[in-house]
Coordinates of all heavy atoms in Angstrom, one line a residue:
I1 N 83.9 -24.3 11.9 CA 84.9 -24.7 12.9 C 85.1 -23.7 14.0 O 85.2 -24.1 15.2 CB 86.3 -24.9 12.1 CG1 86.2 -26.1 11.1 CG2 87.4 -25.1 13.1 CD1 85.8 -27.4 11.7
A2 N 85.1 -22.4 13.6 CA 85.3 -21.4 14.7 C 84.1 -21.5 15.7 O 84.4 -21.4 16.9 CB 85.3 -20.0 14.0
G3 N 82.9 -21.6 15.2 CA 81.7 -21.7 16.1 C 81.8 -22.9 17.0 O 81.4 -22.9 18.1
S4 N 82.3 -24.0 16.4 CA 82.3 -25.3 17.2 C 83.3 -25.2 18.3 O 83.1 -25.7 19.4 CB 82.8 -26.4 16.3 OG 81.8 -26.6 15.2
I5 N 84.4 -24.5 18.1 CA 85.4 -24.3 19.1 C 84.9 -23.4 20.2 O 85.1 -23.7 21.4 CB 86.7 -23.7 18.5 CG1 87.4 -24.8 17.6 CG2 87.7 -23.3 19.6 CD1 88.6 -24.2 16.8
V6 N 84.2 -22.4 19.9 CA 83.6 -21.4 20.8 C 82.6 -22.1 21.8 O 82.6 -21.8 23.0 CB 83.0 -20.2 20.1 CG1 82.2 -19.4 21.1 CG2 84.1 -19.4 19.5
K7 N 81.9 -23.0 21.2 CA 80.9 -23.7 22.1 C 81.5 -24.5 23.2 O 80.8 -24.8 24.2 CB 80.0 -24.7 21.2 CG 79.0 -23.9 20.3 CD 78.2 -24.9 19.4 CE 77.2 -24.2 18.5 NZ 76.4 -25.1 17.7
I8 N 82.7 -24.9 23.1 CA 83.4 -25.6 24.2 C 83.5 -24.7 25.4 O 83.4 -25.2 26.5 CB 84.9 -26.0 23.7 CG1 84.8 -26.9 22.6 CG2 85.7 -26.5 24.9 CD1 86.1 -27.3 21.9
T9 N 83.6 -23.4 25.3 CA 83.7 -22.5 26.4 C 82.4 -22.4 27.2 O 82.4 -21.9 28.3 CB 84.1 -21.1 26.0 OG1 83.1 -20.5 25.1 CG2 85.4 -21.1 25.2
W10 N 81.3 -22.8 26.6 CA 80.0 -22.8 27.2 C 79.7 -24.1 28.0 O 78.6 -24.2 28.6 CB 78.9 -22.5 26.2 CG 79.0 -21.2 25.5 CD1 79.7 -20.1 25.9 CD2 78.4 -20.9 24.2 NE1 79.6 -19.1 25.0 CE2 78.8 -19.5 23.9 CE3 77.6 -21.6 23.3 CZ2 78.4 -18.9 22.8 CZ3 77.2 -20.9 22.2 CH2 77.6 -19.6 21.9
F11 N 80.6 -25.0 28.0 CA 80.3 -26.3 28.6 C 80.0 -26.2 30.1 O 79.1 -26.8 30.6 CB 81.5 -27.3 28.3 CG 81.4 -28.6 29.0 CD1 80.6 -29.6 28.4 CD2 82.0 -28.9 30.2 CE1 80.4 -30.9 29.0 CE2 81.8 -30.1 30.8 CZ 81.1 -31.1 30.2
F12 N 80.9 -25.5 30.8 CA 80.8 -25.4 32.2 C 79.5 -24.7 32.6 O 78.7 -25.2 33.5 CB 82.0 -24.6 32.8 CG 81.9 -24.4 34.3 CD1 82.1 -25.4 35.2 CD2 81.5 -23.2 34.8 CE1 82.0 -25.2 36.6 CE2 81.4 -23.0 36.2 CZ 81.6 -24.0 37.0
V13 N 79.2 -23.5 32.0 CA 78.0 -22.8 32.4 C 76.7 -23.5 32.0 O 75.7 -23.5 32.7 CB 78.0 -21.4 31.8 CG1 77.8 -21.4 30.2 CG2 77.0 -20.5 32.4
D14 N 76.7 -24.2 30.9 CA 75.5 -25.0 30.5 C 75.2 -26.1 31.5 O 74.1 -26.3 31.9 CB 75.7 -25.6 29.1 CG 75.5 -24.7 28.0 OD1 74.8 -23.7 28.2 OD2 76.1 -24.9 26.9
N15 N 76.2 -26.8 31.9 CA 76.0 -27.9 32.9 C 75.7 -27.4 34.3 O 74.9 -27.9 35.0 CB 77.3 -28.8 32.9 CG 77.3 -29.7 31.7 OD1 76.7 -30.7 31.6 ND2 78.1 -29.3 30.7
S16 N 76.4 -26.2 34.6 CA 76.1 -25.6 35.9 C 74.7 -25.1 36.0 O 74.0 -25.3 37.1 CB 77.1 -24.5 36.2 OG 78.4 -24.9 36.2
G17 N 74.2 -24.5 34.9 CA 72.8 -24.0 34.9 C 71.8 -25.1 35.1 O 70.8 -25.0 35.8
T18 N 72.1 -26.3 34.5 CA 71.2 -27.4 34.6 C 71.2 -28.0 36.1 O 70.2 -28.3 36.6 CB 71.7 -28.6 33.7 OG1 71.6 -28.1 32.3 CG2 70.7 -29.8 33.8
V19 N 72.4 -28.0 36.7 CA 72.5 -28.5 38.1 C 71.8 -27.5 39.0 O 71.1 -27.9 40.0 CB 74.0 -28.6 38.5 CG1 74.2 -28.9 39.9 CG2 74.6 -29.8 37.6
F20 N 72.0 -26.2 38.9 CA 71.5 -25.2 39.8 C 70.1 -24.8 39.6 O 69.5 -24.2 40.5 CB 72.4 -23.9 39.8 CG 73.8 -24.1 40.4 CD1 74.9 -23.7 39.7 CD2 73.9 -24.7 41.6 CE1 76.2 -23.9 40.2 CE2 75.2 -24.9 42.1 CZ 76.3 -24.5 41.4
F21 N 69.5 -25.2 38.5 CA 68.1 -24.8 38.2 C 67.1 -25.2 39.3 O 66.3 -24.4 39.8 CB 67.6 -25.4 36.9 CG 66.3 -24.9 36.4 CD1 66.0 -23.6 36.1 CD2 65.2 -25.9 36.4 CE1 64.7 -23.2 35.7 CE2 63.9 -25.5 36.0 CZ 63.7 -24.2 35.7
P22 N 67.2 -26.5 39.8 CA 66.3 -26.9 40.9 C 66.6 -26.0 42.2 O 65.6 -25.8 42.9 CB 66.6 -28.3 41.1 CG 67.2 -28.8 39.9 CD 68.0 -27.6 39.3
K23 N 67.8 -25.7 42.4 CA 68.2 -24.9 43.5 C 67.6 -23.5 43.4 O 67.1 -22.9 44.4 CB 69.7 -24.8 43.6 CG 70.2 -23.9 44.8 CD 70.0 -24.6 46.1 CE 70.6 -23.9 47.3 NZ 70.3 -24.5 48.6
F24 N 67.6 -22.9 42.2 CA 66.9 -21.6 42.0 C 65.4 -21.7 42.4 O 64.9 -20.8 43.0 CB 67.1 -21.2 40.6 CG 68.5 -20.8 40.2 CD1 68.9 -20.8 38.9 CD2 69.4 -20.4 41.2 CE1 70.2 -20.5 38.5 CE2 70.7 -20.0 40.8 CZ 71.1 -20.1 39.5
I25 N 64.8 -22.8 41.9 CA 63.3 -22.9 42.2 C 63.1 -23.0 43.7 O 62.2 -22.4 44.3 CB 62.8 -24.2 41.5 CG1 62.9 -24.0 40.0 CG2 61.4 -24.5 41.9 CD1 62.4 -25.2 39.2
S26 N 64.0 -23.8 44.4 CA 63.9 -24.0 45.8 C 64.1 -22.6 46.5 O 63.3 -22.3 47.5 CB 64.9 -25.0 46.3 OG 64.9 -25.1 47.7
N27 N 65.0 -21.9 46.1 CA 65.3 -20.6 46.7 C 64.1 -19.6 46.5 O 63.8 -18.8 47.4 CB 66.5 -19.9 46.1 CG 67.8 -20.6 46.6 OD1 67.8 -21.3 47.6 ND2 68.9 -20.5 45.9
N28 N 63.4 -19.7 45.3 CA 62.3 -18.9 45.1 C 61.1 -19.2 46.0 O 60.5 -18.3 46.5 CB 61.8 -19.1 43.6 CG 62.7 -18.5 42.6 OD1 63.5 -17.6 42.9 ND2 62.7 -19.1 41.4
N29 N 60.9 -20.5 46.3 CA 59.9 -20.9 47.2 C 60.2 -20.5 48.7 O 59.3 -20.3 49.5 CB 59.8 -22.5 47.2 CG 59.3 -23.0 45.9 OD1 58.6 -22.3 45.1 ND2 59.6 -24.2 45.5
K30 N 61.5 -20.3 49.0 CA 61.9 -19.9 50.3 C 62.1 -18.3 50.4 O 62.5 -17.8 51.4 CB 63.2 -20.6 50.7 CG 63.0 -22.1 50.8 CD 64.4 -22.7 51.1 CE 64.3 -24.2 51.2 NZ 65.7 -24.8 51.4

């Protein structure tokens, strides 16, 4: 239960990382 509650705090960063990953690749190319 404790671990399940803690995973909620990672929701934003997990989804942000997925969204920004293509942007990181684009920035690397530039």
Side-chain angles (χ1 to χ4, degrees):
I1 294 301
S4 299
I5 292 172
V6 168
K7 287 181 180 180
I8 296 172
T9 64
W10 298 338
F11 177 81
F12 176 77
V13 70
D14 280 336
N15 286 277
S16 298
T18 302
V19 170
F20 289 130
F21 183 69
K23 181 67 174 177
F24 290 155
I25 294 176
S26 175
N27 288 338
N28 290 336
N29 295 332
K30 297 175 184 176

